[in-house]
Amino acid sequence: KVSLLLIRFMLVMVPFVFFINGFTKGDWFEAFIFAISVAVGLTPEMLPMIVTANLSKGALSMSKKKTIVKNLNAIQNFGAMNILCTDKTGTLTCDKIVLEKYINADGSNDESKRILRHAYFNSYFQTGLKNLMDKAILSHVKELKLEHLKDAYTKVDEIPFDFIRRRMSVVIEDKQGKRQIITKGAVEEMLSICSHTEFNGEVQSLTDELKVKAQKISEEMNRKGMRVLAVAQKSYIEKVGNFSVSDEKEMVLIGFLAFLDPPKPSAAEAIKQLHEYGVEVKILSGDNDIVVKAIGRQVGIDTSYSLTGPDIENMDETILKERVKTTTCFSKLTPLQKTQIISILQEQKNTVGFLGDGINDAAALRQSDIGISVDSAVDIAKESADIILLEKDLMVLEDGVLEGRKTFGNINKYIKMTASSNFGNMFSVMFASAFLPFLPMMPIHLLIQNLLYDISQTTIPFDRMDPEFLRKPRKWDASDLKRFMIYIGPISSIFDIVTYLVMWHVFGCNSPEHQSLFQSGWFIEGLLSQTLIVHMIRTRKIPFIQSRATWPVIGMTTLVMVIGIVIPFTSFGASIGLQALPLSYFPWLVGILLSYCVLTQLVKNWYIRKFSGWL
């Protein structure tokens, strides 16, 4: 966009400079070379290098904090992110799920460990991807040295897990030929396939009253922050062929498993810091709403506004879009619904990040503007992510946001410096071409000046940003660039014209015989004013006093200014048509540059008040 904008001006500017100089000076070849030099000077040729250097430096800084950046552009998105959507398990929680208890369907303790035994068979014999709760069951059985129980059974078939049913089943057979199907899954989905329950040691019909009691048992554990799965079985199955979802019916509810996965110690502080930097955090989880709210409250997320997957499924799209704006806790979501919520937030002009590590998070990671996963995530989640955290420390997210905003700010500095400076140079060259009897600068002078100015900007990736800039999300705004060019660019032209007048009237450079002195005067003033703009634009504060650039920036710009002043006094300067300037020129130069800085600061303050922004 920056290049296209400058190209449009160049298409007008270069022919104008060519024809004006051709007609007024009479040398059409020299006019052509000068016009080409102007075109080169107006081109932001350092833009790819500055952008890449900024992004690479950001990636290097984040790698030192054990964060791998797969997609360099994600660093900018980090800085622009104003909403972070996160899965609950393993991101807000410790990802160390332990099997806390296993109880009978009536709420009594399972003294015989029958519930654990059935859950173990279900987890052990499944061939699909074992989730954290399966691993917790297997680990608990290993601790109790009950792994030998599996030896008495063989697997017949299985009905894999999916995110719609939210349950999975295995069919096993003992050595006597007794066959049974064991199913475990989310409580509500399990109750929908059960016709009976074991209550007070007896198998009874699962009445509405007993369903309510079962739900209350589950909810009581949910309120304590535990995740609950129900376990059911059906025995004496005579079916021989392949089993399917249709076989998950008329089952007997035998009990519940309760898992504990406490929130990370750093989660609450990390979320607080993200809020302070203008990033809203929303939970997008497949767990039930009671558990999600319990964890949300523990980490400092407002759980007053919540939605569940079934609510979303039956909701009008217009109403859903309004609810998504204010809702912070989403529960019982399918992977498709996670993607849908992120898409809605993006339609509302938000930059959305997503943090997840499961197979059900892959689609959401791809849909988001910045996908964040962890090194221990499943492969498909890591492949879908833009950024990989080598440690599950949420405080890294704050560092990433700040690094992203710093990177964006430094890129924006270069763009606005170059665009405004080049726009101002257009006016200066147009004025000089129209009224001077000679070229204001030789083509070689323009190219050397442009080279030195570009070198002065190479340290921008190493600059700092003001703390105020880092306080809120930043997003690219092309309309602001155009406005910035129009208001800030012509300031340098005013002082370029003042330099013309000083050289013309004070130093008598009013004929082609004196053009070398004139060109030397504008060469130095033009280079110094362009280099000073680096410091004037890099901050909304008063440069050098309220905000100072880093030493690499100060050192490089100072070196370039010294080189620019020295060149006319050297044999190299003489070889390219420049000449030494009288000492009386330099007080004028100091006055022009100081006036330029003061006026730029005044216009800057006015611009900030009027448009409520700078970089």
Side-chain angles (χ1 to χ4, degrees):
K1 289 181 180 178
V2 178
S3 299
L4 286 174
L5 196 57
L6 289 173
I7 286 170
R8 288 174 189 167
F9 286 114
M10 284 165 55
L11 290 174
V12 176
M13 174 69 179
V14 173
F16 176 85
V17 171
F18 171 62
F19 285 110
I20 288 295
N21 282 291
F23 281 115
T24 57
K25 282 75 174 175
D27 189 335
W28 288 94
F29 179 74
E30 188 179 63
F32 174 75
I33 297 298
F34 182 70
I36 294 300
S37 302
V38 169
V40 172
L42 294 178
T43 304
E45 62 277 339
M46 294 286 284
L47 181 58
M49 190 279 279
I50 293 290
V51 171
T52 303
N54 267 290
L55 295 177
S56 299
K57 183 179 178 297
L60 184 62
S61 298
M62 293 181 70
S63 69
K64 294 176 182 176
K65 296 170 183 174
K66 298 187 177 180
T67 302
I68 303 302
V69 179
K70 289 174 57 185
N71 178 6
L72 282 180
N73 287 327
I75 298 175
Q76 293 182 82
N77 290 339
F78 232 153
M81 180 177 71
N82 65 312
I83 293 179
L84 173 65
C85 297
T86 175
D87 186 25
K88 178 183 68 66
T89 305
T91 51
L92 295 180
T93 58
C94 288
D95 199 17
K96 294 179 181 177
I97 290 182
V98 293
L99 180 58
E100 188 72 8
K101 59 172 69 174
Y102 30 93
I103 60 176
N104 296 313
D106 59 7
S108 61
N109 290 328
D110 176 27
E111 302 292 344
S112 66
K113 297 184 173 57
R114 180 165 173 258
I115 311 301
L116 176 63
R117 188 167 68 250
H118 280 76
Y120 172 57
F121 295 152
N122 178 280
S123 295
Y124 178 80
F125 285 111
Q126 66 161 300
T127 56
L129 186 68
K130 288 178 171 55
N131 60 31
L132 293 171
M133 288 178 283
D134 288 316
K135 292 175 182 177
I137 293 168
L138 297 174
S139 176
H140 191 74
V141 168
K142 186 177 181 179
E143 288 176 8
L144 297 177
K145 298 183 174 11
L146 297 175
E147 293 173 291
H148 64 277
L149 293 172
K150 70 180 185 300
D151 299 334
Y153 294 85
T154 57
K155 177 183 170 183
V156 176
D157 203 354
E158 72 176 289
I159 308 169
F161 177 86
D162 67 59
F163 294 102
I164 305 299
R165 289 166 38 247
R166 300 212 304 157
R167 59 179 182 266
M168 74 82 52
S169 302
V170 296
V171 183
I172 60 173
E173 186 177 270
D174 65 13
K175 293 181 178 179
Q176 287 74 43
K178 176 188 171 184
R179 187 173 289 187
Q180 63 179 320
I181 179 170
I182 301 173
T183 306
K184 79 174 188 303
V187 174
E188 288 184 27
E189 282 73 7
M190 290 295 295
L191 290 176
S192 69
I193 61 170
C194 291
S195 58
H196 292 77
T197 181
E198 292 184 2
F199 209 81
N200 295 329
E202 298 179 0
V203 176
Q204 303 180 21
S205 293
L206 185 60
T207 62
D208 290 340
E209 183 182 347
L210 291 178
K211 275 189 178 182
V212 170
K213 182 158 187 178
Q215 287 172 331
K216 284 184 178 178
I217 292 170
S218 171
E219 288 173 4
E220 185 179 344
M221 290 186 284
N222 286 157
R223 276 190 283 271
K224 294 176 182 178
M226 289 186 279
R227 302 173 65 183
V228 180
L229 296 181
V231 181
Q233 66 89 28
K234 183 166 60 173
S235 301
Y236 304 104
I237 301 170
E238 297 179 358
K239 183 173 180 177
V240 177
N242 292 331
F243 287 79
S244 65
V245 175
S246 61
D247 295 301
E248 294 177 332
K249 63 181 180 180
E250 298 179 355
M251 302 194 70
V252 180
L253 177 69
I254 61 173
F256 303 98
L257 305 166
F259 302 85
L260 190 61
D261 186 14
K264 285 189 172 110
S266 63
E269 180 61 27
I271 289 171
K272 180 183 175 184
Q273 291 292 332
L274 288 172
H275 276 297
E276 289 180 1
Y277 286 107
V279 181
E280 183 183 4
V281 180
K282 296 177 183 282
I283 302 177
L284 274 60
S285 175
D287 288 340
N288 74 64
D289 58 329
I290 298 175
V291 174
V292 172
K293 287 181 179 178
I295 295 297
R297 284 192 294 269
Q298 290 177 56
V299 298
I301 294 175
D302 183 4
T303 59
S304 306
Y305 303 97
S306 62
L307 276 176
T308 66
D311 293 336
I312 292 171
E313 204 170 309
N314 301 315
M315 192 173 288
D316 177 76
E317 188 174 350
T318 305
I319 296 174
L320 175 60
K321 288 180 178 180
E322 286 301 314
R323 291 287 302 276
V324 164
K325 289 180 183 177
T326 55
T327 301
T328 52
C329 286
F330 296 88
S331 54
K332 294 189 73 175
L333 297 178
T334 65
L336 188 59
Q337 287 173 330
K338 289 184 179 182
T339 305
Q340 181 186 10
I341 291 166
I342 292 172
S343 296
I344 291 172
L345 291 169
Q346 288 171 326
E347 287 172 12
Q348 295 168 351
K349 307 301 182 186
N350 296 297
T351 301
V352 184
F354 183 79
L355 174 60
D357 61 355
I359 191 171
N360 57 325
D361 297 323
L365 286 165
R366 288 190 181 277
Q367 178 62 42
S368 62
D369 296 298
I370 174 167
I372 310 164
S373 194
V374 292
D375 190 43
S376 58
V378 298
D379 288 343
I380 191 171
K382 290 193 285 188
E383 288 173 8
S384 303
D386 302 303
I387 287 178
I388 306 292
L389 308 181
L390 298 182
E391 289 185 357
K392 291 187 175 182
D393 183 2
L394 293 183
M395 296 304 291
V396 175
L397 294 178
E398 178 197 349
D399 295 332
V401 167
L402 296 181
E403 195 63 47
R405 292 178 187 175
K406 187 195 300 182
T407 300
F408 171 81
N410 283 331
I411 291 173
N412 212 21
K413 282 177 191 176
Y414 172 77
I415 290 172
K416 290 192 170 181
M417 288 170 192
T418 301
S420 59
S421 177
N422 289 354
F423 187 64
N425 284 345
M426 292 180 192
F427 285 106
S428 301
V429 172
M430 287 172 68
F431 181 88
S433 299
F435 296 102
L436 292 177
F438 49 82
L439 291 177
M441 238 192 279
M442 300 297 289
I444 188 66
H445 304 159
L446 281 173
L447 296 177
I448 292 173
Q449 188 185 72
N450 186 59
L451 175 63
L452 290 171
Y453 176 55
D454 285 343
I455 290 172
S456 74
Q457 294 177 313
T458 56
T459 52
I460 287 175
F462 300 93
D463 196 16
R464 63 171 68 91
M465 297 302 302
D466 293 333
E468 296 81 3
F469 181 87
L470 301 175
R471 281 288 163 191
K472 62 180 183 179
R474 302 289 172 175
K475 189 180 283 190
W476 175 247
D477 181 6
S479 63
D480 182 59
L481 175 63
K482 198 171 185 178
R483 185 172 59 213
F484 193 93
M485 289 170 59
I486 293 170
Y487 285 103
I488 305 300
I491 298 175
S492 63
S493 299
I494 295 172
F495 294 94
D496 285 341
I497 294 169
V498 169
T499 303
Y500 299 161
L501 295 175
V502 168
M503 298 307 295
W504 184 276
H505 293 289
V506 177
F507 295 98
C509 303
N510 49 19
S511 65
E513 291 76 21
H514 301 95
Q515 68 174 356
S516 177
L517 184 62
F518 183 100
Q519 291 164 352
S520 300
W522 191 37
F523 176 85
I524 292 177
E525 185 275 336
L527 177 62
L528 267 58
S529 63
Q530 276 191 309
T531 307
L532 280 173
I533 203 69
V534 172
H535 295 277
M536 298 305 301
I537 287 180
R538 64 165 295 279
T539 177
R540 60 191 294 158
K541 299 177 180 179
I542 301 174
F544 306 109
I545 299 173
Q546 295 178 328
S547 177
R548 192 179 65 207
T550 56
W551 286 112
V553 176
I554 293 174
M556 185 58 74
T557 52
T558 302
L559 177 63
V560 165
M561 291 169 77
V562 170
I563 291 173
I565 293 171
V566 169
I567 282 177
F569 295 88
T570 64
S571 57
F572 170 72
S575 70
I576 59 173
L578 296 177
Q579 69 177 72
L581 288 151
L583 292 179
S584 57
Y585 164 80
F586 290 95
W588 285 98
L589 176 65
V590 172
I592 289 170
L593 294 177
L594 284 176
S595 301
Y596 171 61
C597 290
V598 170
L599 181 59
T600 302
Q601 186 64 38
L602 292 173
V603 174
K604 181 201 298 186
N605 293 339
W606 169 84
Y607 186 96
I608 292 169
R609 286 195 303 271
K610 183 173 178 62
F611 301 110
S612 302
W614 183 241
L615 290 178

